[in-house]
Amino acid sequence: MLKIDEVEDSKEFTAQCDVVVIGGGIVGVCATYELARRGVSVVLIEKGVVGAEQSGRNWGWVRQQNRDIHELPLAMRSLRRWNEFDEELGEDVGFRKTGILYGTEHQADVARWEAWLVKARAVGFESRILTAREFQARTPSSRANWAGGVWSESDGRAEPSKAAPAIARAAQKLGAKIYQTCAARGLDLSAGRVSGVWTERGRIDASRVVLAGGAWSSLFCRSHGIDLPTINVVGTALRTAAAPAVIEGCFSGPDFALRRRIDGGYTIAVPGYGRMELAPQNLRYATKFRKMFRSKLNKKLKVRIGESFFSGPEAHRTWREDEASPFEATRVLDPRPDVEWLSRAIRNVVKVFPELSGLRIAHAWAGAIDTSPDLIPVISSVPSKPGLVIAAGFSGHGFGLGPGAGLLISQMVLEDTPEFDLHPFRLQRFSDGSELAQPEMM
Ligand SMILES: Cc1cc2nc3c(=O)[nH]c(=O)nc-3n(C[C@H](O)[C@H](O)[C@H](O)COP(=O)(O)OP(=O)(O)OC[C@H]3O[C@@H](n4cnc5c(N)ncnc54)[C@H](O)[C@@H]3O)c2cc1C
């Protein structure tokens, strides 16, 4: 069973507020928290359970290292927020500044990391390229023909089962209202502006709405004639029972990603591997993903026809505000894990850390990753729908970015000068003829 800490629903249903946030993942709860901290009356609605989709299913890496340079400043700001959270929130989000270590057997990877670091230094980020000998000294028990590595000391890890619920509870203490099992069916618009949200419990009056619906955001947008070109890619991961500590933080080795958990086990996955189903949404936007498919990702993507052709976020669906929506039909999206990658992940880890040969799988799961064509998120207002901010398409690395994104969203909603350049994150980049950047994320 996927373990997620609980959040209690707020008591009476509120029919009026300043801002409605749709979606209780890390992005939605961070936006809600930052708005509540600024004294704004804010309601978060979640169709299922806070933190139960991607934000409770990820590896728990909180990193700046190897990010797309466009989102690095946001990742750096996020790290500062993660560091502040325990004390500020009075809640344990499971964040530990344990550093992140990447190791490789290929000189070409070291060269890529070196080239990335030159660009990262220009925006103020520092990490350390390691020679093979330095790398081995850092992980004395590892066995591989290391060519070198990179160590980012200021990165860390957090607990997906704890983080979003803890931040949601902290937002409630500041006056935010949270309603779970409460889907948003659509926006209410008056004179072309957002004037409220239709939910399964009734209408909420609000002049500003944040859509942070993860894998469901594109479907929600489509129902309002907004094109949000994301495809959902299913990633598989597992956790083990408690095992010897060969690392403390996060470790990326040949075809595995390993994170030490606070329960003494590990979260493990084979990085980059995913499953994409040939569902209407994914087909509709396929041409926008040409560059991504041509990049190294294509070898790691299994393409299938599956149930998402007919049901789930990528299916073709229409509904009215007064009838049950697809969001209510799937309270928690729980895709099936790809079993073959589980044993492969364990095998790859044990090859490098033989003392983990007794690793026992305690639980395996999968999560649908809302992926954008250039692998960076959309954090954007929508010119045709004044009052709406979309924050979606975090492309498999939004957990670490959540706190920074929440801050940025709050600044956009309150019409403050945003701390970050919004240009790379604008929705219009997919439709205004811009040449999309080659995905840079490593
Ligand atoms: C296997 C895996 C590993 C990953 N590893 C990492 C990692 O190590 N580090 C990292 O930074 N990122 C990682 N990610 C990515 C990260 O988990 C996501 O980018 C991030 O959690 C996205 O957060 P979110 O709030 O946008 O979406 P979600 O967490 O998916 O939340 C969206 C929420 O919106 C709700 N919702 C949708 N539509 C509606 C509606 N109409 N009404 C009400 N509620 C609605 C959903 O129920 C859901 O709870 C990983 C993802 C996966 C799947």
Side-chain angles (χ1 to χ4, degrees), residues 22-29 45-63 67 182-185 211-217 220 233-237 269 325 327 330-333 365-370 391-401:
I22 301 171
I26 194 79
V27 175
V29 298
I45 52 176
E46 163 55 54
K47 69 177 171 56
V49 175
V50 164
E53 292 201 348
Q54 289 176 87
S55 298
R57 291 163 185 265
N58 61 74
W59 305 346
W61 289 45
V62 175
R63 71 180 165 105
R67 282 202 177 260
C182 181
R185 292 176 174 169
L211 173 63
W216 300 85
S217 304
F220 189 92
V233 176
V234 175
T236 289
S325 67
F327 311 112
T330 308
R331 293 289 176 192
V332 175
L333 188 59
W365 66 88
I369 298 173
D370 52 332
F394 281 80
S395 305
H397 42 271
F399 182 62
L401 276 188

Side-chain angles (χ1 to χ4, degrees), residues 345-418:
I346 296 271
R347 242 190 350 261
N348 295 349
V349 169
V350 172
K351 227 195 282 171
V352 171
F353 293 109
E355 65 189 284
L356 293 182
S357 59
L359 276 183
R360 207 165 47 75
I361 299 180
H363 177 59
W365 66 88
I369 298 173
D370 52 332
T371 306
S372 78
D374 49 7
L375 300 186
I376 55 174
V378 171
I379 307 176
S380 179
S381 53
V382 182
S384 64
K385 303 281 179 293
L388 175 64
V389 170
I390 297 176
F394 281 80
S395 305
H397 42 271
F399 182 62
L401 276 188
L407 200 61
L408 178 58
I409 294 163
S410 70
Q411 292 161 355
M412 293 168 74
V413 167
L414 297 177
E415 295 179 12
D416 290 347
T417 309

Side-chain angles (χ1 to χ4, degrees), residues 175-393:
K177 305 271 186 252
I178 298 185
Y179 306 114
Q180 298 169 102
T181 325
C182 181
R185 292 176 174 169
L187 300 172
D188 194 16
L189 300 161
S190 311
R193 278 197 63 89
V194 168
S195 58
V197 176
W198 294 106
T199 82
E200 63 180 289
R201 292 206 213 161
R203 183 180 177 280
I204 306 179
D205 192 74
S207 59
R208 280 150 300 167
V209 172
V210 176
L211 173 63
W216 300 85
S217 304
S218 188
L219 174 64
F220 189 92
C221 283
R222 261 194 321 281
S223 72
H224 287 283
I226 304 166
D227 252 330
L228 174 64
T230 55
I231 57 172
N232 290 331
V233 176
V234 175
T236 289
L238 67 93
R239 79 178 154 83
T240 71
V246 293
I247 54 151
E248 270 317 312
C250 305
F251 184 101
S252 164
D255 271 340
F256 68 87
L258 184 68
R259 173 181 67 92
R260 182 93 174 139
R261 304 165 54 92
I262 53 178
D263 61 13
Y266 290 96
T267 293
I268 302 180
V270 183
Y273 281 82
R275 179 176 87 232
M276 189 189 89
E277 299 200 346
L278 287 175
Q281 175 182 320
N282 297 341
L283 292 170
R284 175 184 173 123
Y285 295 126
T287 55
K288 299 230 184 276
F289 285 81
R290 274 193 315 267
K291 276 193 180 146
M292 196 190 95
F293 292 144
R294 273 205 303 263
S295 76
K296 64 185 166 78
L297 282 181
N298 71 348
K299 294 190 213 94
K300 297 184 166 182
L301 200 60
K302 263 199 319 201
V303 181
R304 294 276 152 92
I305 293 186
E307 68 255 37
S308 25
F309 197 91
F310 306 103
S311 63
E314 304 105 23
H316 175 71
R317 308 287 290 275
T318 54
W319 63 95
R320 292 192 321 257
E321 286 102 28
D322 59 354
E323 63 185 8
S325 67
F327 311 112
E328 290 140 82
T330 308
R331 293 289 176 192
V332 175
L333 188 59
D334 186 20
R336 125 192 100 69
D338 278 291
V339 178
E340 63 183 271
W341 291 329
L342 301 176
S343 42
R344 196 186 300 182
I346 296 271
R347 242 190 350 261
N348 295 349
V349 169
V350 172
K351 227 195 282 171
V352 171
F353 293 109
E355 65 189 284
L356 293 182
S357 59
L359 276 183
R360 207 165 47 75
I361 299 180
H363 177 59
W365 66 88
I369 298 173
D370 52 332
T371 306
S372 78
D374 49 7
L375 300 186
I376 55 174
V378 171
I379 307 176
S380 179
S381 53
V382 182
S384 64
K385 303 281 179 293
L388 175 64
V389 170
I390 297 176

